Amino acid sequence: MGKVYLIGAGPGDPELLTVKAARLLERATILLHDSLVSREVLQLIPRHAEVIDVGKRCGQKLLTQDEINALLVSYAANHEAVIRLKGGDPVVFGRAGEEIEALRRANVPFEIVPGITAALGAAAAAGISLTDRRVASQIVITTYSRGSDVAATDPFAVTPQLDWAAISSSTTLVLYMPGADYAEVSRRLRKAGQPEDLPCVIVSTATTRNQQIRWTTVAGLANEAKLPAPALLIVGRVATHEIQEIAATNWRSESPEPKAHPMIS
Amino acid sequence: MGKVYLIGAGPGDPELLTVKAARLLERATILLHDSLVSREVLQLIPRHAEVIDVGKRCGQKLLTQDEINALLVSYAANHEAVIRLKGGDPVVFGRAGEEIEALRRANVPFEIVPGITAALGAAAAAGISLTDRRVASQIVITTYSRGSDVAATDPFAVTPQLDWAAISSSTTLVLYMPGADYAEVSRRLRKAGQPEDLPCVIVSTATTRNQQIRWTTVAGLANEAKLPAPALLIVGRVATHEIQEIAATNWRSESPEPKAHPMIS
C-alpha cells in the first residue's frame, strides 16, 4: 500500500511551494488537484503523470467529497505515492478533514505537507504585517458566504457564525472567498459596528502575474468592482498602505466591546 | 542601494522553506535572524556569509527593534541583498510591521517572502484540519502572555484583548507562545466559558526531529508538563486525534453565545 501526500500548493507563485512540495511534485506519477491550484504550479507536474482535476470534470460537474475520498483510498492501493494537491494550505479551508478521516478509516498512511495559505500570500504581496503589534493582537481567518451559497455547496458545514461584532479593534480579519457582492460585505461589517473608515485591502490572485491590490475602507468597499478569484479581503488597522500612519492615526470610532464578554484578567 | 528580503523560515524542517526562500538563503552574503529560526535552517546559510543573530547577543542581551531597523537600513546601503530571516512567517507575530515602516521611511526596496507559520506546521504535524467544516468555521490566531511579560518585553504592544469568551464553539483557537504555565491557560479558558472536555493539542518544535505532540482537553491541560519552545496550543473540536469521532461526539456544553453580539444575518 502506498502513501497519500496532502500537499499545499501555496497562493500561486510556484516559487512559493515548499522545497518538499516541489520535490514530491517532480516525482509524481498520480496526482489529484482542485481548481484553486494555479496554472503555473500545475505546469511543474511531470508530463507522464496521471492528473485528475477533482474540482471540475465534464465541464461543470463536481466530484463529491465522498468520491474524492474513495479515489484517494483506491489509488493508494496501487501507487507508491498519491499526490493530493490543494490551493494554499490543506488544513485551511481545504476540506482536508474528511480526506484525513477516510484515509485513517482505510488505514492508508498519509502525510500533510503544509503550504503558504492565501492570507500569508496576500499580506506579503500587499507588504503589510497581519499582527503589527502597535495595532493588532490577533488574526481571525474565516470565509464569507451568503446563506444560500453555503447550503448549495456545503450541506454538511456547521452554521456559519459570522460574529463580526465580536471582532475588537485590535483584530485583523481575513476573509477568504469574499464573493462577488462587496457592497453586502461592507454592509455586514458596518452593521456589526465596524468603523466606516477602518482600512481594508482586497488582494486578487496574490503572487501571480495577474495580481491586483485595492486599498480601501469598510465604507469604500461597497463601491469597489469585483476582482477575479481567488481573492481575499483583509480588514483592520494593519490594512493600510500608509503604514507609517498606523500608530499615529486617531480612529474616529471603535468597535463595540459588549459587556457580556468579560475581559480575561 | 540594495534590497531587503523579509523571509519566513517556516516551522523548523528545512524542507518546509519555500523554494524562493531556499534560493535566496543559498546566495546570502549578509543575513540577520532571530532566535526562532531552527538550527537545521541556519545550517543552510553559506559559510562565507556574515550572520547576525539579532535575537541574542553577548549572552542574553537583546537588540532593540529600533537597532534592528537601523541595521537593515544601513546594510542595504552596501549590499545588493540583505536577508532578514524570521521563524515561521514574517507577518504573523514576527514584528515585521516596524521593519517595513523603517524600510519605507528610508526608501529601501524590500520584499516579503512568506513562510509556513507555526499554526500550519503544527496542524500538519498533528494531522488535523484547522477548519474541518463539520465542526469549525473560523480560526483565531493569537498569543498568550502574562501581563507582566507583555510589559517587560513589548512596551509598545496594544493591550492584549484575550477575549476568549467570544470564541464560539465553531472556532479553532491557535495560541502562539502559550508560555510555561499551562494550568493558568486552562484556568483562563474555563473562566471564559470553554467546556472542560473541549479538545486541545500542544505541539512542541513542530516538524523538527524533537517534535512532541500531547493530546488533551481544556481541563487536562492543567496537568500537562511544559514542553520545549517553540510550542503552540490548538484548542477546539478539530483538535482531536480520533478525528472520526469529531462529527459524532455530543458535546456536553457549549461556549456562551452572549446576546450582546448580534449574529450577522
Side-chain angles (χ1 to χ4, degrees):
Chain A
M1 184 176 283
K3 185 170 177 180
V4 174
Y5 293 87
L6 302 167
I7 299 180
D13 180 353
E15 277 220 292
L16 295 182
L17 284 165
T18 64
V19 172
K20 189 171 197 170
R23 174 171 63 76
L24 289 165
L25 273 194
E26 243 170 48
R27 301 178 189 173
T29 58
I30 185 158
L31 181 147
L32 298 85
H33 70 85
D34 62 32
S35 54
L36 287 175
V37 179
S38 74
R39 189 179 308 232
E40 293 88 337
V41 168
L42 293 177
Q43 284 169 349
L44 299 180
I45 302 167
R47 290 186 187 191
H48 56 77
E50 186 178 347
V51 177
I52 301 115
D53 179 352
V54 299
K56 270 186 195 172
R57 184 173 274 187
C58 310
Q60 292 303 311
K61 193 173 180 293
L62 298 166
L63 265 73
T64 67
Q65 189 59 55
D66 282 345
E67 288 168 338
I68 296 169
N69 298 348
L71 281 180
L72 290 176
V73 171
S74 71
Y75 286 138
N78 302 310
H79 296 81
E80 200 180 330
V82 179
I83 306 298
R84 175 70 175 103
L85 191 63
K86 292 163 179 283
D89 181 89
V91 309
V92 179
F93 301 116
R95 301 212 183 157
E98 287 139 284
E99 295 175 16
I100 291 167
E101 179 183 332
L103 295 169
R104 283 210 173 121
R105 283 200 167 138
N107 285 315
V108 175
F110 72 94
E111 182 176 335
I112 300 173
V113 180
I116 303 295
T117 189
L120 305 186
I128 59 175
S129 168
L130 294 175
T131 59
D132 190 303
R133 63 177 172 154
R134 296 164 297 181
V135 293
S137 63
Q138 65 176 13
I139 307 168
V140 173
I141 298 180
T142 189
T143 58
Y144 170 80
S145 302
R146 299 183 71 127
S148 57
D149 293 341
V150 172
T153 63
D154 206 354
F156 304 109
V158 293
T159 310
Q161 301 189 331
L162 297 180
D163 197 2
W164 295 347
I167 291 167
S168 72
S169 59
S170 68
T171 294
T172 301
L173 172 66
V174 184
L175 206 57
Y176 281 47
M177 299 168 262
D181 192 353
Y182 296 165
E184 174 65 10
V185 177
S186 168
R187 192 190 67 79
R188 289 195 188 193
L189 286 167
R190 280 176 285 139
K191 192 176 164 192
Q194 300 298 333
E196 294 208 339
D197 60 348
L198 188 66
C200 300
V201 60
I202 312 162
V203 185
S204 166
T205 62
T207 80
T208 71
R209 206 178 305 171
N210 300 319
Q211 169 181 299
Q212 291 184 69
I213 298 175
R214 293 276 186 284
W215 303 94
T216 182
T217 60
V218 163
L221 182 62
N223 304 316
E224 291 289 332
K226 184 188 183 285
L227 296 184
L232 66 68
L233 180 68
I234 302 172
V235 183
R237 292 164 71 183
V238 303
T240 172
H241 195 44
E242 307 301 321
I243 201 153
Q244 57 272 39
E245 293 176 11
I246 278 186
T249 307
N250 281 318
W251 296 88
R252 286 207 298 271
S253 46
E254 293 286 320
S255 62
E257 300 283 354
K259 288 177 186 169
H261 280 189
M263 296 296 289
I264 312 302
S265 61
Chain B
M1 184 177 283
K3 186 171 177 179
V4 174
Y5 293 87
L6 302 167
I7 299 181
D13 179 354
E15 276 220 293
L16 295 182
L17 283 165
T18 64
V19 172
K20 188 170 197 170
R23 173 171 63 77
L24 289 164
L25 273 193
E26 245 170 46
R27 300 178 191 173
T29 58
I30 186 158
L31 182 146
L32 299 86
H33 70 85
D34 62 32
S35 53
L36 287 175
V37 178
S38 74
R39 188 179 309 232
E40 293 88 338
V41 168
L42 294 177
Q43 283 168 350
L44 300 180
I45 302 168
R47 291 188 185 186
H48 56 76
E50 187 179 345
V51 177
I52 301 115
D53 179 351
V54 298
K56 271 187 195 172
R57 185 173 272 186
C58 311
Q60 292 304 312
K61 193 170 179 295
L62 298 165
L63 264 73
T64 66
Q65 188 59 55
D66 282 344
E67 287 168 337
I68 296 169
N69 299 349
L71 281 180
L72 291 176
V73 171
S74 71
Y75 286 138
N78 303 309
H79 296 80
E80 200 181 330
V82 179
I83 306 298
R84 175 71 174 103
L85 192 62
K86 293 164 179 282
D89 181 89
V91 308
V92 179
F93 301 116
R95 302 213 182 156
E98 287 139 286
E99 295 174 17
I100 291 168
E101 179 182 332
L103 295 169
R104 284 211 173 120
R105 282 198 167 140
N107 285 316
V108 175
F110 72 92
E111 182 177 337
I112 301 173
V113 180
I116 302 295
T117 189
L120 306 185
I128 58 174
S129 168
L130 294 175
T131 59
D132 190 304
R133 63 178 171 153
R134 296 163 298 181
V135 293
S137 63
Q138 66 177 12
I139 307 169
V140 173
I141 298 180
T142 189
T143 57
Y144 171 80
S145 302
R146 299 185 68 128
S148 57
D149 294 340
V150 173
T153 63
D154 205 354
F156 304 111
V158 293
T159 311
Q161 302 190 330
L162 297 180
D163 197 2
W164 294 347
I167 291 167
S168 71
S169 59
S170 67
T171 294
T172 301
L173 173 66
V174 183
L175 206 57
Y176 282 46
M177 299 168 260
D181 192 352
Y182 296 164
E184 174 66 10
V185 177
S186 167
R187 192 190 67 79
R188 289 193 187 193
L189 286 167
R190 281 176 286 139
K191 192 177 166 193
Q194 300 297 332
E196 294 209 338
D197 60 348
L198 188 66
C200 300
V201 60
I202 312 162
V203 186
S204 165
T205 62
T207 80
T208 71
R209 205 178 306 171
N210 300 320
Q211 170 181 297
Q212 292 185 68
I213 298 175
R214 294 275 186 285
W215 302 95
T216 182
T217 61
V218 162
L221 182 61
N223 303 315
E224 292 289 333
K226 184 187 184 285
L227 296 184
L232 67 66
L233 179 68
I234 302 172
V235 184
R237 293 165 71 184
V238 303
T240 171
H241 194 43
E242 307 301 321
I243 201 155
Q244 56 271 41
E245 293 175 11
I246 279 186
T249 306
N250 281 317
W251 297 89
R252 286 206 298 271
S253 47
E254 293 286 321
S255 61
E257 301 284 353
K259 286 176 189 170
H261 281 189
M263 296 295 288
I264 313 302
S265 61

